[in-house]
mmCIF file of all heavy atoms in Angstrom:
data_model
loop_
_atom_site.group_PDB
_atom_site.id
_atom_site.type_symbol
_atom_site.label_atom_id
_atom_site.label_comp_id
_atom_site.label_asym_id
_atom_site.label_seq_id
_atom_site.Cartn_x
_atom_site.Cartn_y
_atom_site.Cartn_z
ATOM 1 N N ALA A 1 87.810 172.846 198.251
ATOM 2 C CA ALA A 1 86.904 171.959 198.978
ATOM 3 C C ALA A 1 87.571 171.499 200.267
ATOM 4 O O ALA A 1 88.720 171.027 200.253
ATOM 5 C CB ALA A 1 86.542 170.761 198.113
ATOM 6 N N ALA A 2 86.853 171.634 201.362
ATOM 7 C CA ALA A 2 87.354 171.204 202.672
ATOM 8 C C ALA A 2 86.800 169.825 202.999
ATOM 9 O O ALA A 2 85.698 169.461 202.577
ATOM 10 C CB ALA A 2 86.951 172.207 203.737
ATOM 11 N N SER A 3 87.559 169.081 203.792
ATOM 12 C CA SER A 3 87.220 167.678 204.043
ATOM 13 C C SER A 3 86.238 167.484 205.180
ATOM 14 O O SER A 3 85.690 166.396 205.339
ATOM 15 C CB SER A 3 88.501 166.899 204.351
ATOM 16 O OG SER A 3 89.135 167.421 205.515
ATOM 17 N N ARG A 4 86.004 168.529 205.972
ATOM 18 C CA ARG A 4 85.163 168.372 207.150
ATOM 19 C C ARG A 4 84.189 169.533 207.280
ATOM 20 O O ARG A 4 84.497 170.661 206.917
ATOM 21 C CB ARG A 4 86.026 168.274 208.409
ATOM 22 C CG ARG A 4 86.930 167.057 208.462
ATOM 23 C CD ARG A 4 87.730 167.038 209.763
ATOM 24 N NE ARG A 4 86.854 166.951 210.928
ATOM 25 C CZ ARG A 4 87.280 167.117 212.162
ATOM 26 N NH1 ARG A 4 88.548 167.387 212.400
ATOM 27 N NH2 ARG A 4 86.437 167.023 213.179
ATOM 28 N N SER A 5 83.053 169.256 207.857
ATOM 29 C CA SER A 5 82.014 170.272 207.987
ATOM 30 C C SER A 5 82.365 171.340 209.007
ATOM 31 O O SER A 5 81.700 172.388 209.052
ATOM 32 C CB SER A 5 80.677 169.617 208.350
ATOM 33 O OG SER A 5 80.790 168.941 209.578
ATOM 34 N N ILE A 6 83.429 171.077 209.802
ATOM 35 C CA ILE A 6 83.884 172.131 210.709
ATOM 36 C C ILE A 6 84.297 173.364 209.916
ATOM 37 O O ILE A 6 84.433 174.456 210.449
ATOM 38 C CB ILE A 6 85.055 171.620 211.574
ATOM 39 C CG1 ILE A 6 85.328 172.570 212.724
ATOM 40 C CG2 ILE A 6 86.315 171.440 210.726
ATOM 41 C CD1 ILE A 6 86.385 172.081 213.690
ATOM 42 N N PHE A 7 84.471 173.188 208.602
ATOM 43 C CA PHE A 7 84.815 174.284 207.686
ATOM 44 C C PHE A 7 83.953 175.505 207.945
ATOM 45 O O PHE A 7 84.418 176.642 207.878
ATOM 46 C CB PHE A 7 84.629 173.793 206.252
ATOM 47 C CG PHE A 7 84.545 174.878 205.217
ATOM 48 C CD1 PHE A 7 85.699 175.421 204.679
ATOM 49 C CD2 PHE A 7 83.315 175.354 204.770
ATOM 50 C CE1 PHE A 7 85.637 176.421 203.722
ATOM 51 C CE2 PHE A 7 83.234 176.357 203.816
ATOM 52 C CZ PHE A 7 84.401 176.890 203.290
ATOM 53 N N ARG A 8 82.669 175.283 208.238
ATOM 54 C CA ARG A 8 81.745 176.396 208.357
ATOM 55 C C ARG A 8 82.105 177.349 209.491
ATOM 56 O O ARG A 8 81.632 178.479 209.525
ATOM 57 C CB ARG A 8 80.317 175.891 208.519
ATOM 58 C CG ARG A 8 80.023 175.212 209.848
ATOM 59 C CD ARG A 8 78.641 174.614 209.847
ATOM 60 N NE ARG A 8 78.506 173.608 208.803
ATOM 61 C CZ ARG A 8 77.375 173.328 208.192
ATOM 62 N NH1 ARG A 8 76.273 173.983 208.497
ATOM 63 N NH2 ARG A 8 77.324 172.396 207.265
ATOM 64 N N PHE A 9 82.926 176.899 210.415
ATOM 65 C CA PHE A 9 83.310 177.736 211.548
ATOM 66 C C PHE A 9 84.667 178.405 211.352
ATOM 67 O O PHE A 9 85.122 179.158 212.206
ATOM 68 C CB PHE A 9 83.345 176.898 212.830
ATOM 69 C CG PHE A 9 82.035 176.248 213.151
ATOM 70 C CD1 PHE A 9 81.896 174.870 213.095
ATOM 71 C CD2 PHE A 9 80.943 177.012 213.506
ATOM 72 C CE1 PHE A 9 80.683 174.264 213.392
ATOM 73 C CE2 PHE A 9 79.725 176.421 213.801
ATOM 74 C CZ PHE A 9 79.596 175.039 213.733
ATOM 75 N N ILE A 10 85.314 178.112 210.222
ATOM 76 C CA ILE A 10 86.679 178.587 209.985
ATOM 77 C C ILE A 10 86.662 179.848 209.130
ATOM 78 O O ILE A 10 86.043 179.880 208.070
ATOM 79 C CB ILE A 10 87.516 177.498 209.268
ATOM 80 C CG1 ILE A 10 87.555 176.216 210.097
ATOM 81 C CG2 ILE A 10 88.931 178.011 209.008
ATOM 82 C CD1 ILE A 10 88.208 175.047 209.371
ATOM 83 N N ASP A 11 87.333 180.886 209.604
ATOM 84 C CA ASP A 11 87.598 182.035 208.749
ATOM 85 C C ASP A 11 88.629 181.596 207.717
ATOM 86 O O ASP A 11 89.710 181.132 208.073
ATOM 87 C CB ASP A 11 88.145 183.211 209.563
ATOM 88 C CG ASP A 11 87.151 183.748 210.578
ATOM 89 O OD1 ASP A 11 85.953 183.445 210.460
ATOM 90 O OD2 ASP A 11 87.582 184.479 211.489
ATOM 91 N N MET A 12 88.299 181.750 206.437
ATOM 92 C CA MET A 12 89.125 181.177 205.377
ATOM 93 C C MET A 12 89.877 182.244 204.587
ATOM 94 O O MET A 12 89.466 183.413 204.516
ATOM 95 C CB MET A 12 88.241 180.397 204.402
ATOM 96 C CG MET A 12 87.668 179.114 204.969
ATOM 97 S SD MET A 12 88.954 177.910 205.345
ATOM 98 C CE MET A 12 89.677 177.636 203.718
ATOM 99 N N GLY A 13 90.967 181.820 203.974
ATOM 100 C CA GLY A 13 91.746 182.726 203.144
ATOM 101 C C GLY A 13 92.218 182.050 201.875
ATOM 102 O O GLY A 13 92.411 180.832 201.839
ATOM 103 N N TRP A 14 92.389 182.856 200.838
ATOM 104 C CA TRP A 14 93.079 182.431 199.623
ATOM 105 C C TRP A 14 94.458 183.093 199.628
ATOM 106 O O TRP A 14 94.580 184.305 199.875
ATOM 107 C CB TRP A 14 92.313 182.856 198.371
ATOM 108 C CG TRP A 14 91.231 181.914 197.968
ATOM 109 C CD1 TRP A 14 89.893 182.041 198.200
ATOM 110 C CD2 TRP A 14 91.400 180.681 197.257
ATOM 111 N NE1 TRP A 14 89.213 180.973 197.677
ATOM 112 C CE2 TRP A 14 90.118 180.113 197.079
ATOM 113 C CE3 TRP A 14 92.501 179.999 196.727
ATOM 114 C CZ2 TRP A 14 89.905 178.909 196.416
ATOM 115 C CZ3 TRP A 14 92.290 178.803 196.082
ATOM 116 C CH2 TRP A 14 91.002 178.268 195.923
ATOM 117 N N TYR A 15 95.440 182.277 199.345
ATOM 118 C CA TYR A 15 96.820 182.725 199.323
ATOM 119 C C TYR A 15 97.401 182.459 197.935
ATOM 120 O O TYR A 15 96.892 181.623 197.191
ATOM 121 C CB TYR A 15 97.656 181.941 200.347
ATOM 122 C CG TYR A 15 97.191 182.067 201.773
ATOM 123 C CD1 TYR A 15 96.078 181.364 202.232
ATOM 124 C CD2 TYR A 15 97.882 182.863 202.673
ATOM 125 C CE1 TYR A 15 95.651 181.478 203.540
ATOM 126 C CE2 TYR A 15 97.470 182.971 203.999
ATOM 127 C CZ TYR A 15 96.354 182.273 204.416
ATOM 128 O OH TYR A 15 95.936 182.379 205.723
ATOM 129 N N ARG A 16 98.498 183.116 197.636
ATOM 130 C CA ARG A 16 99.215 182.796 196.411
ATOM 131 C C ARG A 16 100.720 182.916 196.644
ATOM 132 O O ARG A 16 101.164 183.673 197.501
ATOM 133 C CB ARG A 16 98.786 183.685 195.252
ATOM 134 C CG ARG A 16 99.168 185.149 195.381
ATOM 135 C CD ARG A 16 98.570 185.953 194.229
ATOM 136 N NE ARG A 16 98.937 187.371 194.292
ATOM 137 C CZ ARG A 16 98.412 188.298 193.491
ATOM 138 N NH1 ARG A 16 97.511 187.959 192.565
ATOM 139 N NH2 ARG A 16 98.787 189.554 193.612
ATOM 140 N N GLN A 17 101.435 182.135 195.859
ATOM 141 C CA GLN A 17 102.891 182.161 195.942
ATOM 142 C C GLN A 17 103.457 182.143 194.539
ATOM 143 O O GLN A 17 103.280 181.166 193.800
ATOM 144 C CB GLN A 17 103.424 180.980 196.747
ATOM 145 C CG GLN A 17 104.915 181.047 197.001
ATOM 146 C CD GLN A 17 105.375 180.026 198.024
ATOM 147 O OE1 GLN A 17 104.717 179.015 198.278
ATOM 148 N NE2 GLN A 17 106.517 180.291 198.648
ATOM 149 N N ALA A 18 104.110 183.226 194.185
ATOM 150 C CA ALA A 18 104.781 183.319 192.894
ATOM 151 C C ALA A 18 106.211 182.792 193.044
ATOM 152 O O ALA A 18 106.759 182.768 194.155
ATOM 153 C CB ALA A 18 104.791 184.763 192.417
ATOM 154 N N PRO A 19 106.819 182.371 191.947
ATOM 155 C CA PRO A 19 108.189 181.839 192.019
ATOM 156 C C PRO A 19 109.146 182.826 192.676
ATOM 157 O O PRO A 19 109.185 184.004 192.320
ATOM 158 C CB PRO A 19 108.549 181.615 190.551
ATOM 159 C CG PRO A 19 107.249 181.403 189.866
ATOM 160 C CD PRO A 19 106.274 182.299 190.577
ATOM 161 N N GLY A 20 109.883 182.324 193.658
ATOM 162 C CA GLY A 20 110.864 183.143 194.332
ATOM 163 C C GLY A 20 110.308 184.129 195.327
ATOM 164 O O GLY A 20 111.067 184.943 195.878
ATOM 165 N N GLN A 21 109.009 184.060 195.565
ATOM 166 C CA GLN A 21 108.388 185.009 196.495
ATOM 167 C C GLN A 21 107.703 184.270 197.637
ATOM 168 O O GLN A 21 107.443 183.075 197.556
ATOM 169 C CB GLN A 21 107.375 185.887 195.756
ATOM 170 C CG GLN A 21 107.998 186.740 194.666
ATOM 171 C CD GLN A 21 107.049 187.796 194.141
ATOM 172 O OE1 GLN A 21 106.048 188.128 194.776
ATOM 173 N NE2 GLN A 21 107.374 188.352 192.982
ATOM 174 N N GLN A 22 107.446 185.004 198.709
ATOM 175 C CA GLN A 22 106.746 184.416 199.843
ATOM 176 C C GLN A 22 105.261 184.279 199.542
ATOM 177 O O GLN A 22 104.698 185.012 198.723
ATOM 178 C CB GLN A 22 106.952 185.297 201.088
ATOM 179 C CG GLN A 22 108.362 185.281 201.633
ATOM 180 C CD GLN A 22 108.469 185.985 202.973
ATOM 181 O OE1 GLN A 22 107.660 186.852 203.295
ATOM 182 N NE2 GLN A 22 109.449 185.591 203.761
ATOM 183 N N ARG A 23 104.659 183.337 200.207
ATOM 184 C CA ARG A 23 103.221 183.162 200.100
ATOM 185 C C ARG A 23 102.528 184.358 200.726
ATOM 186 O O ARG A 23 102.919 184.815 201.806
ATOM 187 C CB ARG A 23 102.804 181.872 200.799
ATOM 188 C CG ARG A 23 101.409 181.387 200.505
ATOM 189 C CD ARG A 23 101.222 179.981 201.075
ATOM 190 N NE ARG A 23 102.112 179.019 200.432
ATOM 191 C CZ ARG A 23 102.225 177.767 200.820
ATOM 192 N NH1 ARG A 23 101.529 177.323 201.848
ATOM 193 N NH2 ARG A 23 103.049 176.953 200.199
ATOM 194 N N GLU A 24 101.503 184.865 200.044
ATOM 195 C CA GLU A 24 100.790 186.029 200.552
ATOM 196 C C GLU A 24 99.292 185.760 200.576
ATOM 197 O O GLU A 24 98.753 185.064 199.720
ATOM 198 C CB GLU A 24 101.078 187.260 199.686
ATOM 199 C CG GLU A 24 100.636 187.147 198.244
ATOM 200 C CD GLU A 24 100.720 188.449 197.471
ATOM 201 O OE1 GLU A 24 100.773 189.531 198.089
ATOM 202 O OE2 GLU A 24 100.713 188.385 196.221
ATOM 203 N N LEU A 25 98.626 186.374 201.540
ATOM 204 C CA LEU A 25 97.174 186.298 201.658
ATOM 205 C C LEU A 25 96.576 187.340 200.722
ATOM 206 O O LEU A 25 96.922 188.527 200.806
ATOM 207 C CB LEU A 25 96.755 186.581 203.102
ATOM 208 C CG LEU A 25 95.267 186.625 203.395
ATOM 209 C CD1 LEU A 25 94.643 185.249 203.222
ATOM 210 C CD2 LEU A 25 95.034 187.129 204.822
ATOM 211 N N VAL A 26 95.682 186.909 199.831
ATOM 212 C CA VAL A 26 95.080 187.846 198.886
ATOM 213 C C VAL A 26 93.620 188.133 199.191
ATOM 214 O O VAL A 26 93.109 189.184 198.810
ATOM 215 C CB VAL A 26 95.241 187.384 197.426
ATOM 216 C CG1 VAL A 26 96.709 187.315 197.045
ATOM 217 C CG2 VAL A 26 94.569 186.052 197.177
ATOM 218 N N ALA A 27 92.936 187.222 199.849
ATOM 219 C CA ALA A 27 91.527 187.442 200.153
ATOM 220 C C ALA A 27 91.149 186.572 201.340
ATOM 221 O O ALA A 27 91.688 185.481 201.502
ATOM 222 C CB ALA A 27 90.642 187.108 198.962
ATOM 223 N N SER A 28 90.204 187.061 202.132
ATOM 224 C CA SER A 28 89.739 186.283 203.275
ATOM 225 C C SER A 28 88.240 186.482 203.450
ATOM 226 O O SER A 28 87.668 187.489 203.001
ATOM 227 C CB SER A 28 90.488 186.676 204.543
ATOM 228 O OG SER A 28 90.228 188.018 204.887
ATOM 229 N N ILE A 29 87.641 185.508 204.103
ATOM 230 C CA ILE A 29 86.211 185.574 204.378
ATOM 231 C C ILE A 29 85.972 184.930 205.737
ATOM 232 O O ILE A 29 86.457 183.829 206.003
ATOM 233 C CB ILE A 29 85.384 184.899 203.255
ATOM 234 C CG1 ILE A 29 83.885 185.084 203.498
ATOM 235 C CG2 ILE A 29 85.751 183.440 203.068
ATOM 236 C CD1 ILE A 29 83.036 184.719 202.288
ATOM 237 N N THR A 30 85.239 185.620 206.588
ATOM 238 C CA THR A 30 84.955 185.065 207.905
ATOM 239 C C THR A 30 83.859 184.001 207.807
ATOM 240 O O THR A 30 83.205 183.842 206.763
ATOM 241 C CB THR A 30 84.514 186.165 208.876
ATOM 242 O OG1 THR A 30 83.241 186.671 208.441
ATOM 243 C CG2 THR A 30 85.523 187.306 208.927
ATOM 244 N N SER A 31 83.631 183.305 208.915
ATOM 245 C CA SER A 31 82.586 182.286 208.928
ATOM 246 C C SER A 31 81.211 182.901 208.685
ATOM 247 O O SER A 31 80.307 182.225 208.186
ATOM 248 C CB SER A 31 82.610 181.538 210.256
ATOM 249 O OG SER A 31 82.426 182.437 211.333
ATOM 250 N N SER A 32 81.075 184.172 208.990
ATOM 251 C CA SER A 32 79.787 184.849 208.784
ATOM 252 C C SER A 32 79.711 185.599 207.461
ATOM 253 O O SER A 32 78.686 186.225 207.170
ATOM 254 C CB SER A 32 79.527 185.824 209.938
ATOM 255 O OG SER A 32 80.568 186.773 210.039
ATOM 256 N N GLY A 33 80.787 185.551 206.661
ATOM 257 C CA GLY A 33 80.732 186.111 205.318
ATOM 258 C C GLY A 33 81.369 187.462 205.111
ATOM 259 O O GLY A 33 81.291 188.011 204.004
ATOM 260 N N ASN A 34 82.009 188.014 206.111
ATOM 261 C CA ASN A 34 82.704 189.287 205.927
ATOM 262 C C ASN A 34 83.998 189.063 205.164
ATOM 263 O O ASN A 34 84.741 188.130 205.455
ATOM 264 C CB ASN A 34 82.996 189.938 207.269
ATOM 265 C CG ASN A 34 81.728 190.337 207.986
ATOM 266 O OD1 ASN A 34 80.821 190.912 207.401
ATOM 267 N ND2 ASN A 34 81.644 190.022 209.269
ATOM 268 N N THR A 35 84.257 189.921 204.195
ATOM 269 C CA THR A 35 85.395 189.722 203.296
ATOM 270 C C THR A 35 86.433 190.830 203.434
ATOM 271 O O THR A 35 86.131 191.946 203.870
ATOM 272 C CB THR A 35 84.933 189.649 201.835
ATOM 273 O OG1 THR A 35 84.267 190.876 201.490
ATOM 274 C CG2 THR A 35 83.977 188.485 201.620
ATOM 275 N N ASP A 36 87.648 190.499 203.031
ATOM 276 C CA ASP A 36 88.732 191.469 203.012
ATOM 277 C C ASP A 36 89.686 191.062 201.891
ATOM 278 O O ASP A 36 89.789 189.870 201.565
ATOM 279 C CB ASP A 36 89.466 191.492 204.350
ATOM 280 C CG ASP A 36 90.337 192.730 204.508
ATOM 281 O OD1 ASP A 36 90.158 193.711 203.739
ATOM 282 O OD2 ASP A 36 91.215 192.731 205.389
ATOM 283 N N TYR A 37 90.360 192.068 201.316
ATOM 284 C CA TYR A 37 91.207 191.816 200.163
ATOM 285 C C TYR A 37 92.530 192.561 200.274
ATOM 286 O O TYR A 37 92.591 193.666 200.834
ATOM 287 C CB TYR A 37 90.499 192.270 198.870
ATOM 288 C CG TYR A 37 89.210 191.556 198.612
ATOM 289 C CD1 TYR A 37 88.001 192.063 199.073
ATOM 290 C CD2 TYR A 37 89.196 190.340 197.922
ATOM 291 C CE1 TYR A 37 86.814 191.394 198.859
ATOM 292 C CE2 TYR A 37 88.011 189.666 197.706
ATOM 293 C CZ TYR A 37 86.823 190.195 198.171
ATOM 294 O OH TYR A 37 85.651 189.525 197.955
ATOM 295 N N ALA A 38 93.557 191.954 199.694
ATOM 296 C CA ALA A 38 94.811 192.676 199.534
ATOM 297 C C ALA A 38 94.599 193.809 198.541
ATOM 298 O O ALA A 38 93.774 193.702 197.620
ATOM 299 C CB ALA A 38 95.897 191.728 199.041
ATOM 300 N N HIS A 39 95.360 194.865 198.710
ATOM 301 C CA HIS A 39 95.212 196.030 197.837
ATOM 302 C C HIS A 39 95.402 195.652 196.371
ATOM 303 O O HIS A 39 94.710 196.183 195.489
ATOM 304 C CB HIS A 39 96.218 197.100 198.238
ATOM 305 C CG HIS A 39 96.191 198.311 197.361
ATOM 306 N ND1 HIS A 39 95.183 199.263 197.426
ATOM 307 C CD2 HIS A 39 97.029 198.719 196.378
ATOM 308 C CE1 HIS A 39 95.423 200.210 196.528
ATOM 309 N NE2 HIS A 39 96.538 199.904 195.883
ATOM 310 N N SER A 40 96.290 194.705 196.125
ATOM 311 C CA SER A 40 96.638 194.358 194.749
ATOM 312 C C SER A 40 95.506 193.678 193.991
ATOM 313 O O SER A 40 95.521 193.634 192.750
ATOM 314 C CB SER A 40 97.879 193.456 194.727
ATOM 315 O OG SER A 40 97.643 192.283 195.482
ATOM 316 N N VAL A 41 94.513 193.133 194.701
ATOM 317 C CA VAL A 41 93.441 192.401 194.025
ATOM 318 C C VAL A 41 92.074 193.026 194.260
ATOM 319 O O VAL A 41 91.091 192.602 193.650
ATOM 320 C CB VAL A 41 93.404 190.918 194.460
ATOM 321 C CG1 VAL A 41 94.783 190.281 194.275
ATOM 322 C CG2 VAL A 41 92.914 190.746 195.875
ATOM 323 N N LYS A 42 92.004 194.025 195.109
ATOM 324 C CA LYS A 42 90.716 194.637 195.448
ATOM 325 C C LYS A 42 90.054 195.190 194.197
ATOM 326 O O LYS A 42 90.686 195.853 193.379
ATOM 327 C CB LYS A 42 90.926 195.729 196.486
ATOM 328 C CG LYS A 42 89.647 196.236 197.137
ATOM 329 C CD LYS A 42 89.942 197.156 198.312
ATOM 330 C CE LYS A 42 90.580 196.408 199.457
ATOM 331 N NZ LYS A 42 90.750 197.267 200.660
ATOM 332 N N GLY A 43 88.779 194.866 194.047
ATOM 333 C CA GLY A 43 88.035 195.311 192.878
ATOM 334 C C GLY A 43 88.090 194.347 191.709
ATOM 335 O O GLY A 43 87.332 194.494 190.745
#
């Protein structure tokens, strides 16, 4: 949940960080709804 309605203009991403590893982007969605996924989670 985002705190401001400007959210609708932001291309958003979900990230994850496992212990001892760098944070990685796993999925993203543009303000217009186009999506993209890391290979490890696609499907």
